[in-house]
Amino acid sequence: MRYKFIFLLFIVPFLVQAQVSVLSWNIQNFGKSKSAATIEFIASTVKSYDVLAIQEVVAGNGGAQAVSRLADALNRKGSKWDYCISNPTQTTGGTTERYAFLWKPSRVKLIGKAWLEKQYAQQIEREPYLATFAFQGKQFTLVSFHAVPKTKQPEREIKLLAQVTKEYPNLNLIFLGDFNCPQSNSVFTNFRKMNYQSALVNQKTSLKRSCKNGNCLASEYDNIFYATRNVKCLKSFVIPFYTHFEKLTLAKKISDHIPIVAEFSFN
């Protein structure tokens, strides 16, 4: 019995480490307006995960500095973190933004440099930001995306986003972010035809203006799509950070979206 216990001591940590956790969060107006206390709260919320993808980093007003401040806060919480920030998106008629990735180099390694997908810069208002990581000998590429609002028909952009798979047939792509569209929408049919599956189903991720009967979530917008032939999703969930605040208005000073998480293993 004692030998069995010793065996478990060795094997359990290995099993725990055989998966990588990816968090995606549209942090509303992530820039100069975020206080030190807000940055600290965000860091405490996301510190347990391996890779972070952040959307809606403001192009000006301290957006890049806010990401740096978040990395500094994370580095004070027991693990070393690296990060990269995109250039401002090349939108022609809307709001330009940045994206960011943060990761634990002890868990994953960035391969090469992250890049904005410029081929669709004139057709997608906030062209996606891609980064390839290595995890235990396997590579995966995160495609972080923030679609236009519902009033601007995000379906049009999502159709184009599916074309990215043709541009990089040899990359193990994982699409994640704020699609401003539920996974049940027929626009995701093209993804499903390519054996992509959503990590979340029927899960609302944006905050209402006010809670009603304990219901604070409004729309099913954020998600993670992965190719089932290459990736296994072991677990997916959301982080209802707003429950830490007495009023929803206070929570929305952090963001009007909640973080989403998926834990993956790779074939």
Side-chain angles (χ1 to χ4, degrees), residues 19 27 46 67 76 82-83 103 105 159 169 177 212 257 267:
Q19 61 199 49
I27 304 180
V46 304
V67 177
R76 295 192 295 270
D82 284 341
Y83 67 94
W103 65 93
K159 285 181 181 179
K212 296 180 180 179
H257 287 245
N267 298 333

Side-chain angles (χ1 to χ4, degrees), residues 43-250:
S44 295
T45 302
V46 304
K47 67 179 181 179
S48 300
Y49 306 101
D50 299 323
V51 188
L52 315 177
I54 298 176
Q55 302 87 38
E56 207 169 312
V57 178
V58 296
N61 297 320
Q65 291 84 350
V67 177
S68 177
R69 290 161 59 205
L70 175 58
D72 287 342
L74 286 167
N75 279 325
R76 295 192 295 270
K77 295 188 178 298
S79 296
K80 175 175 169 45
W81 288 78
D82 284 341
Y83 67 94
C84 59
I85 308 166
S86 77
N87 290 327
T89 54
Q90 300 298 307
T91 180
T92 56
T95 303
T96 183
E97 295 175 2
R98 297 178 188 264
Y99 296 93
F101 290 115
L102 299 95
W103 65 93
K104 294 174 179 173
S106 63
R107 297 284 289 140
V108 299
K109 179 183 178 182
L110 178 68
I111 304 299
K113 294 182 178 180
W115 71 98
L116 284 170
E117 185 47 58
K118 296 185 181 298
Q119 179 163 334
Y120 301 104
Q122 300 305 314
Q123 299 163 287
I124 295 178
E125 191 165 297
R126 293 171 288 221
E127 66 271 26
Y129 188 46
L130 292 78
T132 298
F133 296 92
F135 173 72
Q136 296 189 349
K138 303 289 185 179
Q139 292 189 9
F140 62 97
T141 301
L142 298 181
V143 185
S144 186
F145 176 59
H146 185 192
V148 291
K150 197 69 176 174
T151 55
K152 291 188 175 183
Q153 297 182 318
E155 293 88 347
R156 174 182 52 82
E157 291 192 337
I158 294 169
K159 285 181 181 179
L160 287 170
L161 189 67
Q163 300 295 322
V164 174
T165 59
K166 297 178 181 179
E167 300 299 326
Y168 303 101
N170 297 321
L171 296 184
N172 187 11
L173 301 175
I174 297 175
F175 295 84
L176 73 174
D178 176 9
F179 297 87
N180 276 313
C181 203
Q183 54 79 34
S184 57
N185 191 298
S186 61
V187 73
F188 290 107
T189 298
N190 288 338
F191 280 97
R192 292 193 169 88
K193 285 180 178 178
M194 295 182 290
N195 296 314
Y196 277 81
Q197 182 172 315
S198 62
L200 300 173
V201 177
N202 299 327
Q203 175 62 63
K204 295 177 179 179
T205 59
S206 64
L207 295 179
K208 290 184 172 183
R209 292 183 178 180
S210 61
C211 297
K212 296 180 180 179
N213 300 320
N215 183 4
C216 304
L217 297 177
S219 300
E220 184 187 348
Y221 283 166
D222 304 82
N223 219 316
I224 301 173
F225 292 85
Y226 61 97
T228 56
R229 65 184 178 276
N230 300 321
V231 183
K232 183 177 181 180
C233 183
L234 305 174
K235 184 190 297 185
S236 61
F237 54 93
V238 299
I239 302 175
F241 75 90
Y242 56 88
T243 59
H244 292 277
F245 297 87
E246 292 183 2
K247 296 181 180 179
L248 198 61
T249 52
L250 296 175

